Amino acid sequence: MNSITDPHTLPRPRAGIARIPVYSAALPGATPVLFRASSNEAATAPSAAVVAAVTTATQAGNRYPALHGADLIASLAASVGQPVGRIAVGDGSLSLLNYLLLAFLEPGHRVVYAWRSYEAYPICVLTCGGEPAAVPLAADFGHDLDAMAAAIDDTTDVVILCNPNNPTGMAFGADALADFLARVPSHVLVVLDEAYRDFTGPDLAFEATGFLEQHPNLVLLRTFSKAYALAGLRVGYLVASDAIVAAVSAVLPPFPVAAAGVAAAVTSLGEPEVRDDLVHAVLAGREAMTEVLVSAGLPVVPGNGNFLWIPLGPASAELAGRLREAGITVRLFAGEGVRITVGEPGLAEAVGRALAIAETGA
């Protein structure tokens, strides 16, 4: 048989590709979607200034953006109070996590993370040829930091901490992080994913850049998708030691963020009041949604994100289906729980009506 047409000679993916799980999606259904509460997006559109900046950037779309995102890095350096050599940017914090693993994870070595946590973590680890090492959450649905520290062995290259944790919303404070870092060998990379840091309650909120000097193995991952309402423009950044940033930059593409994303992010950094208004709306929406869910007799984890976790176990699919019938999409983790994004005007009331109808059987 001609080798050109022989199916046994066609390109084959790496053996580990078959192990990569599929990123989940909201439940399909015939009912039109009235509220999309499944993706932890901001409920409000970007500001007029951001839209204008993006429009201007697209008018010069025939030109490449600044090499390495240097203009965005300069704005971020001023914003977070760190030298430009300690910042790298990319098309979302998830993309930067992939590049971190590509730079620091040896094939077959382990990455320790909590579970359940962000569902992309095992995808990233397996994509980069590593071995996932998931550590069960504590009874309160937060990270079991003691168990995670104990899970680190000689083949562990990376530990990922999601704070606040997605999808459960639980967070830990500065003291807990300090204690954990003190127990991690200095050659192990610790990635602190802070995608939801802006929504953390005041008793647990802290500025993690203060840990970088004492712990040069620490990396902070942050995003413009949530509090800055730029999810569709794909912008994220990391803050770390010069050595870590240099290693990541070696594998990053030369133009890691599109010009429109750069323009949006730089403009957003100059509008802190817009971010603050969005955060306040989310916190108010989280409180309102908590009241609705508790009144309906549902278990709710007192989270710190722009979402709430409803740990219903086997009954999770029923709740997700009820809400989908009412035009409300949520993220179902079958057999575990339901995550519902908060902050959109009218959403809590719509959920309350849907649950009331379910209760009465109307």
Side-chain angles (χ1 to χ4, degrees):
M1 182 179 291
N2 191 317
S3 63
I4 295 178
T5 58
D6 185 351
H8 298 291
T9 65
L10 294 176
R12 296 182 182 181
R14 289 187 287 113
I17 297 300
R19 296 177 58 197
I20 298 176
V22 177
Y23 197 94
S24 67
L27 290 176
T31 305
V33 175
L34 305 178
F35 293 95
R36 194 162 90 167
S38 56
S39 297
N40 291 346
E41 302 154 319
T44 55
S47 71
V50 168
V51 172
V54 169
T55 300
T56 299
T58 58
Q59 290 171 346
N62 57 308
R63 304 296 184 185
Y64 285 110
L67 192 64
H68 308 306
D71 43 0
L72 175 55
I73 289 174
S75 293
L76 284 165
S79 176
V80 302
Q82 294 290 314
V84 294
R86 293 188 175 183
I87 299 171
V89 297
D91 55 337
S93 58
L94 177 56
S95 180
L96 284 166
L97 175 59
N98 270 321
Y99 286 113
L100 273 168
L101 297 178
L102 184 62
F104 287 93
L105 180 60
E106 293 288 345
H109 280 205
R110 301 167 78 243
V111 177
V112 173
Y113 54 86
W115 197 255
R116 175 169 290 275
S117 190
Y118 184 31
E119 64 181 306
Y121 293 157
I123 297 174
C124 294
V125 173
L126 291 167
T127 297
C128 294
E131 190 63 32
V135 177
L137 294 173
D140 65 355
F141 299 99
H143 282 51
D144 187 339
L145 294 174
D146 291 335
M148 293 185 72
I152 298 172
D153 64 13
D154 292 340
T155 66
T156 301
D157 287 344
V158 183
V159 177
I160 305 174
L161 306 174
C162 189
N163 192 46
N165 186 48
N166 173 22
T168 66
M170 293 298 289
F172 52 82
D175 291 344
L177 177 62
D179 179 69
F180 180 79
L181 290 171
R183 291 183 284 171
V184 177
S186 59
H187 68 274
V188 175
L189 191 74
V190 178
V191 180
L192 183 64
D193 185 346
E194 297 189 291
Y196 300 96
R197 64 188 295 268
D198 298 275
F199 311 110
T200 306
D203 54 329
L204 293 174
F206 64 95
E207 178 50 62
T209 53
F211 287 90
L212 293 173
E213 290 295 334
Q214 188 176 354
H215 300 282
N217 59 328
L218 176 64
V219 180
L220 311 180
L221 272 184
R222 295 176 177 177
T223 182
F224 282 85
S225 294
K226 311 304 179 183
Y228 289 94
L230 301 181
L233 287 161
R234 311 308 305 133
V235 188
Y237 67 101
L238 64 79
V239 188
S241 68
D242 295 66
I244 289 175
V245 169
V248 173
S249 298
V251 297
L252 275 170
F255 307 103
V257 183
V262 170
V266 170
T267 303
S268 293
L269 288 172
E271 296 185 309
E273 68 283 358
V274 175
R275 179 201 60 207
D276 292 346
D277 287 346
L278 189 154
V279 171
H280 291 153
V282 166
L283 298 184
R286 193 168 71 195
E287 182 178 355
M289 185 69 74
T290 299
E291 292 178 0
V292 166
L293 297 174
V294 170
S295 296
L298 295 173
V300 183
V301 175
N304 293 272
N306 64 344
F307 56 87
L308 286 169
W309 177 243
I310 310 166
L312 280 176
S316 300
E318 180 181 355
L319 173 63
R322 289 281 189 175
L323 293 174
R324 185 63 184 86
E325 291 172 1
I328 304 165
T329 64
V330 295
R331 187 58 62 89
L332 168 66
F333 298 91
E336 299 178 62
V338 170
R339 189 195 70 194
I340 182 167
T341 308
V342 302
E344 185 167 357
L347 174 60
E349 293 81 0
V351 170
R353 290 192 296 271
L355 295 177
I357 291 173
E359 180 70 23
T360 61

